[in-house]
Amino acid sequence: MKWSANILSLGLLAAFASTAAVVGRQLDLYQLQISCPANKNIDGRFISLKNNTMGIFDADDVTPVQVYPVESDKEGCNELHTYPVGIVDHSIGLMGPPGLLTLVDITNPTIQPGEGTVVQWDTFRISDGKLTNNIDGQWLAFPTQGNGWKVKWTDGSAVVISNFVIVNIIYKSAGEGYYNGF
């Protein structure tokens, strides 16, 4: 009898433990807002993701990208992962030829670039409410078809002959989110 009471107690304990709520990690979320007083068409607008392309879009079906910072292995730098968190990890990154890197969405940010291509996802710096890179330089915005804009980072070594404006990216609080680890 004593043996069956112990088994029953153990069974009840296991049942309660398996129904306990999964405790998630709280995330501070941010959005990336363009500051460009020289161009009122993009000043104050948010960077969005449309068809796996990051930029500034006029479409009604896009929403600003939300990111959360993760400390990088590189001193003083961060990775910016997108929210909501899914099965496949997404990070904001920079990719392109040396000297002029495009802001992109990177899936499972461990890709190896092809020859002549630079890929960075762990080099963002956040200072005074602005997003920069660990390489000296500045953000540029280039107009695209359909009133969109692509955002790029330049270190000044690339020859840029197309139409662009110099912008800042403001790192703006967007509330909180949760990640349950699944």
Side-chain angles (χ1 to χ4, degrees):
M1 183 78 169
K2 194 173 191 183
W3 178 77
S4 63
N6 285 340
I7 294 292
L8 182 60
S9 298
L10 185 59
L12 287 172
L13 180 62
F16 285 124
S18 67
T19 60
V22 175
V23 177
R25 181 178 69 166
Q26 185 173 338
L27 303 171
D28 292 325
L29 301 178
Y30 297 88
Q31 293 175 330
L32 306 175
Q33 185 178 34
I34 297 294
S35 173
C36 183
N39 187 322
K40 298 298 180 191
N41 291 328
I42 61 173
D43 187 43
R45 300 201 33 211
F46 290 92
I47 294 176
S48 303
L49 182 63
K50 181 177 182 182
N51 299 329
N52 294 329
T53 301
M54 298 206 74
I56 305 164
F57 303 102
D58 280 340
D60 292 333
D61 62 340
V62 295
T63 56
V65 170
Q66 292 185 323
V67 298
Y68 62 94
V70 174
E71 191 173 316
S72 169
D73 290 338
K74 297 178 180 171
E75 186 177 332
C77 294
N78 290 281
E79 299 175 14
L80 296 177
H81 294 260
T82 58
Y83 185 85
V85 180
I87 295 171
V88 177
D89 186 23
H90 287 257
S91 285
I92 289 179
L94 296 168
M95 184 166 33
L100 190 61
L101 306 174
T102 303
L103 191 64
V104 295
D105 173 46
I106 297 178
T107 306
N108 292 328
T110 57
I111 61 174
Q112 296 297 318
E115 191 169 324
T117 301
V118 175
V119 178
Q120 300 174 343
W121 65 89
D122 56 355
T123 59
F124 292 107
R125 291 192 182 273
I126 303 160
S127 177
D128 298 325
K130 294 181 181 177
L131 182 69
T132 61
N133 194 355
N134 72 338
I135 298 170
D136 287 338
Q138 63 188 3
W139 293 108
L140 305 176
F142 294 81
T144 63
Q145 290 181 324
N147 295 326
W149 294 77
K150 284 191 176 181
V151 180
K152 300 179 183 243
W153 180 263
T154 182
D155 64 6
S157 67
V159 176
V160 180
I161 57 173
S162 63
N163 188 20
F164 67 89
V165 292
I166 297 171
V167 299
N168 286 314
I169 297 181
I170 307 301
Y171 194 69
K172 192 167 185 159
S173 177
E176 298 175 346
Y178 295 93
Y179 173 58
N180 65 10
F182 291 113

